[in-house]
Amino acid sequence: MKLKLLAAVALATPLFFVNSVKAGNPQDLQRLLSTGECVGCNLSGMNLNGAHLIGADLRGANLAGANLSGANLEGADFTDANLKGANLTAAFLTNVNFKKANLNNANMTRAHVFDSNVYGASMENLTITDAEIYHTAIGVGGEEGEQIPDWD
């Protein structure tokens, strides 16, 4: 009986560590909120709903699955960041740098995206329902690197 219990605990223990590695780092979150800089940090799955992160430096950060809905991200730098599956619903994304970022499966429903750089970004299954997108190369059915004409 004891041997079976010990074997079950030994087999299950690695699963607890795998799940904890996937979660964001609370110290990284505190650093971002206090300094506005968090280059290369792990914020995956973090709740940043409504956060004011104007000009935040998040180059190379992992924000996979993070909740950034309603956040003000004006002028933020997400160069090489992982935003896979991130929730950017109704976020303010003016002058944001998404260069080479992973935006696969991200949700930008009702987001306000103006004058942002998406050069080299991966945007498979990006949701842009009811989003306002101006002077930013995000569109439906375009080729990678294609520039959307300015009709204003």
Side-chain angles (χ1 to χ4, degrees):
M1 175 76 169
K2 287 183 182 179
L3 185 57
K4 288 182 181 179
L5 180 60
L6 182 60
V9 169
L11 290 173
T13 300
L15 297 176
F16 294 114
F17 291 109
V18 169
N19 288 336
S20 65
V21 171
K22 290 182 180 179
N25 183 335
Q27 290 82 15
D28 285 347
L29 177 60
Q30 186 58 40
R31 182 174 57 163
L32 172 64
L33 296 175
S34 62
T35 68
E37 295 182 14
C38 209
V39 176
C41 61
N42 182 7
L43 300 168
S44 60
M46 291 287 187
N47 184 3
L48 293 160
N49 181 6
H52 291 276
L53 299 172
I54 298 169
D57 188 352
L58 291 157
R59 291 172 291 148
N62 181 6
L63 291 122
N67 181 5
L68 294 155
S69 62
N72 187 342
L73 301 165
E74 294 180 61
D77 190 349
F78 290 102
T79 300
D80 292 316
N82 180 10
L83 290 143
K84 183 177 183 177
N87 182 0
L88 294 154
T89 299
F92 294 91
L93 303 167
T94 302
N95 295 313
V96 172
N97 191 356
F98 288 115
K99 185 176 178 183
K100 297 183 181 178
N102 180 350
L103 291 164
N104 294 343
N105 301 307
N107 184 355
M108 289 187 178
T109 299
R110 296 185 322 278
H112 311 278
V113 188
F114 307 130
D115 302 306
S116 293
N117 179 5
V118 294
Y119 180 79
S122 180
M123 295 181 270
E124 293 180 20
N125 299 314
L126 177 66
T127 302
I128 56 172
T129 306
D130 297 326
E132 294 180 289
I133 302 172
Y134 298 100
H135 305 117
T136 302
I138 296 175
V140 178
E143 294 293 321
E144 184 176 337
E146 179 183 10
Q147 294 298 311
I148 296 173
D150 182 3
W151 300 104
D152 292 344

